Amino acid sequence: MKLIFEKSKPGRGTAMLPPCDVPFAEMDESLKRKAPLPLPEIGEGELARHYSELERRTHGVNNGFYPLGSCTMKYNPHLNEDIAMMVGFNRIHPLQPERTAQGCLGIIHLAEKLYCEITGMDAITFQPSAGAHGEFTGIAMIRAYHQKNGEDEQRREILIPDAAHGTNPASAAMNGYKVVTIPSGPDGCTNMEAFRSAVGPKTAGVMLTNPNTLGIFEKNIAEITDLVHTAGGLCYYDGANLNAVMGIVNPGAMGFDIIHLNLHKTFSTPHGGGGPGSGAVGCKEILRPFLPVPIVSETKNGYTLEYNRPDSIGKVRSFYGNFLVVVRALCYILSLGSDGVKEASEGAVLNANYLRKKIADGKYVAYKEPSMHEFVLGLSELKKETGISALDIAKGLLDYGIHPPTMYFPLIVEEALMVEPTETETRETLDEAAEAFNTLFRMAKEEPEKLHGAPFTTPVKRPDEVEAARHPILRYQFD
């Protein structure tokens, strides 16, 4: 440990822990390992082949088109990784003194300011580990707000559209709320008659995303948030689809009081594999007192982590959060600039509408309303005509090197495929993707039995799903 630190050459702003100077022989016996680590002993060549094989079996944006709806699987610029790997960032330690981490605390403070500007919020925390974790945190803050005002026993309902992400009702229920489901209208937007009748003195708040999961901008969003505020509730914005509107309109202007951001979706940080993630939560001034502790505060003596906040909901994870994810996200928006942030959203909307038109001339689009960053195909008629399901089309896309879109969601669309091309794909890629879709639609009518067997070129072919459900092969078994 001492040798590593002495040979390193920290860059500007580097903060490090002092090296351990206690020889192993002088360490307390309780700190010493009693047995060797049970690690496999293999050659470097075998190790390299192992990971290369895993990479070959895994599909990512570096392998091909990845139009996973509502997940925004966009390209992550390598610049973000270069900055995050700077020694002054990646050797930071959560237990080191604040005075030795001023540069990193300054990074968080700057990110807070810029993301507040993008979202229209007054304060933000990067503590939550993921989007769903951010949702839970946000609803916990809403409940703390009503408890502070003595209305928690009265306000027991959260209104959620039927097309919402599944984590929305889960987050509300985990915070002790009753979920009131609001149906969508024929235009794909919230049914306003049903919404008006549902809002009342029991309403703690509403959760929705805009654009919604159908890729449609809620045209009545101002009335929705006004109705909830008039009833004494709060408005929560699911930030999963912010990639369609950032730099153009912000949730604060729509009337929302609190939001979460999926930094891995909109702001190009790593996505998948369980992390690392960040579900940043932003809020208006009325909810600032309830933010998780600690928060980063700027004082005349520098930056500090502030814990003395009596109305805070407390910590929602260890330490502050995934700091290097924040570094990547900040790098992304700084490299884009204000004009680039807006252009990214415009590109996402343009690409979605271009691909929507190219796929069967829009024949299978579930809703004819203009799309934002994504659109939903409804293949129920195709299934009736040919027996080919959305699952069959998704499997067939794998043979073209395309990751399947989100399948069978939202639940209000039969045989749904939700497609989100993102702004980082070229027109040539979109043309190739449209041709793949259209070829599969022709195959559905001409060779349906063949398509039932797809995919044919992947390392793992189509499994027997009935057999897998009835007789799963478990990798791990517990007594």
Side-chain angles (χ1 to χ4, degrees):
M1 176 69 78
K2 183 176 180 180
L3 184 62
I4 292 174
F5 273 89
E6 287 180 346
K7 283 194 172 183
S8 299
K9 293 184 178 180
R12 182 189 303 176
T14 298
M16 288 189 176
L17 288 173
C20 178
D21 290 321
V22 181
F24 181 78
E26 298 177 17
M27 283 186 178
D28 188 280
E29 287 298 320
S30 65
L31 299 177
K32 295 180 181 179
R33 187 178 299 281
K34 300 300 185 289
L37 280 173
L39 298 176
E41 295 185 7
I42 60 174
E44 183 177 342
E46 290 175 311
L47 186 65
R49 289 168 185 164
H50 169 73
Y51 283 107
S52 294
E53 176 61 17
L54 290 181
E55 182 182 18
R56 187 179 72 83
R57 289 171 173 262
T58 303
H59 188 95
V61 292
N62 56 314
N63 303 104
F65 190 38
Y66 208 131
L68 196 62
S70 262
C71 280
T72 316
M73 303 295 284
K74 68 166 82 175
Y75 173 70
N76 299 167
H78 204 279
L79 174 64
N80 300 358
E81 303 301 315
D82 292 340
I83 299 300
M85 289 301 101
M86 291 177 66
V87 67
F89 294 143
N90 70 14
R91 288 188 180 170
I92 198 75
H93 193 283
L95 293 180
Q96 70 187 71
E98 290 177 8
R99 61 180 173 77
T100 68
Q102 287 297 298
C104 295
L105 292 175
I107 286 287
I108 295 173
H109 191 69
L110 175 59
E112 289 175 359
K113 286 183 177 180
L114 295 180
Y115 281 104
C116 281
E117 183 177 342
I118 290 173
T119 61
M121 297 292 117
D122 297 316
I124 198 164
T125 177
F126 294 103
Q127 191 175 134
S129 300
H133 193 200
E135 282 184 27
F136 178 84
T137 301
I139 300 303
M141 290 171 62
I142 287 178
R143 183 161 188 184
Y145 170 86
H146 290 309
Q147 288 173 336
K148 181 76 173 179
N149 294 336
E151 295 188 340
D152 183 49
E153 293 301 318
Q154 170 190 340
R155 299 189 178 277
R156 305 304 310 139
E157 296 179 350
I158 296 287
L159 312 182
I160 303 177
D162 59 1
H165 297 111
T167 49
N168 287 184
S171 296
M174 289 177 68
N175 275 287
Y177 284 112
K178 175 185 176 182
V179 174
V180 178
T181 303
I182 309 298
S184 298
D187 58 357
C189 294
T190 301
N191 184 311
M192 291 307 297
E193 183 177 349
F195 192 86
R196 293 186 193 100
S197 64
V199 177
K202 295 182 180 180
T203 302
V206 62
M207 293 183 78
L208 55 80
T209 186
N210 192 29
N212 61 27
T213 53
L214 298 166
I216 300 171
F217 193 90
E218 289 278 358
K219 58 188 176 184
N220 297 308
I221 192 62
E223 182 182 356
I224 288 172
T225 54
D226 185 61
L227 284 168
V228 173
H229 287 150
T230 300
L234 296 173
C235 299
Y236 181 96
Y237 182 87
D238 178 335
N241 295 341
L242 188 69
N243 201 54
V245 296
M246 63 172 180
I248 300 171
V249 63
N250 64 56
M254 297 179 205
F256 288 95
D257 305 293
I258 188 166
I259 70 166
H260 85 263
L261 300 175
N262 301 85
L263 296 191
H264 58 282
K265 292 184 180 183
T266 306
F267 300 105
S268 82
T269 66
H271 192 165
S278 178
V281 170
C283 65
K284 289 295 186 68
E285 193 63 37
I286 57 169
L287 290 171
R288 186 195 292 265
F290 308 102
L291 283 168
V293 291
I295 66 167
V296 177
S297 296
E298 186 177 14
T299 70
K300 62 180 181 180
N301 297 319
Y303 298 103
T304 185
L305 291 170
E306 183 184 342
Y307 286 87
N308 185 22
R309 302 179 63 80
D311 291 327
S312 168
I313 63 170
K315 294 177 73 69
V316 295
R317 63 152 290 163
S318 58
F319 304 114
Y320 183 79
N322 288 322
F323 171 66
L324 294 181
V325 174
V326 179
V327 172
R328 290 176 172 93
L330 178 60
C331 178
Y332 176 69
I333 60 173
L334 287 176
S335 62
L336 287 181
S338 58
D339 291 340
V341 167
K342 178 182 178 182
E343 186 178 348
S345 288
E346 291 172 338
V349 174
L350 177 63
N351 278 1
N353 282 277
Y354 179 80
L355 185 57
R356 162 185 162 142
K357 177 67 175 176
K358 293 279 288 188
I359 296 177
D361 199 28
K363 174 183 178 181
Y364 297 112
V365 176
Y367 291 87
K368 303 309 176 185
E369 300 293 316
S371 296
M372 296 296 289
H373 65 305
E374 65 188 5
F375 58 93
V376 178
L377 302 176
L379 303 183
S380 58
E381 288 302 316
L382 180 72
K383 186 175 182 180
K384 291 177 183 177
E385 294 172 9
T386 67
I388 293 297
S389 65
L391 177 64
D392 292 319
I393 297 297
K395 296 292 187 182
L397 288 170
L398 291 169
D399 285 325
Y400 291 86
I402 297 174
H403 191 284
T406 300
M407 296 186 294
Y408 299 121
F409 181 79
L411 300 178
I412 62 175
V413 177
E414 293 184 28
E415 296 296 322
L417 289 179
M418 189 196 302
V419 184
E420 182 181 2
T422 82
E423 74 277 12
T424 57
E425 299 295 347
T426 64
R427 188 173 72 174
E428 289 77 13
T429 296
L430 301 182
D431 288 339
E432 292 172 2
E435 181 56 33
F437 272 98
N438 294 334
T439 299
L440 293 171
F441 291 146
R442 289 194 296 270
M443 188 182 296
K445 298 175 181 179
E446 299 169 3
E447 301 179 277
E449 288 306 314
K450 181 178 180 181
L451 190 50
H452 280 311
F456 303 101
T457 62
T458 54
V460 178
K461 307 302 185 287
R462 186 185 296 212
D464 184 332
E465 295 178 14
V466 175
E467 177 68 16
R470 292 179 177 174
H471 305 287
I473 300 174
L474 301 178
R475 184 177 179 188
Y476 299 105
Q477 296 191 28
F478 301 93
D479 296 330

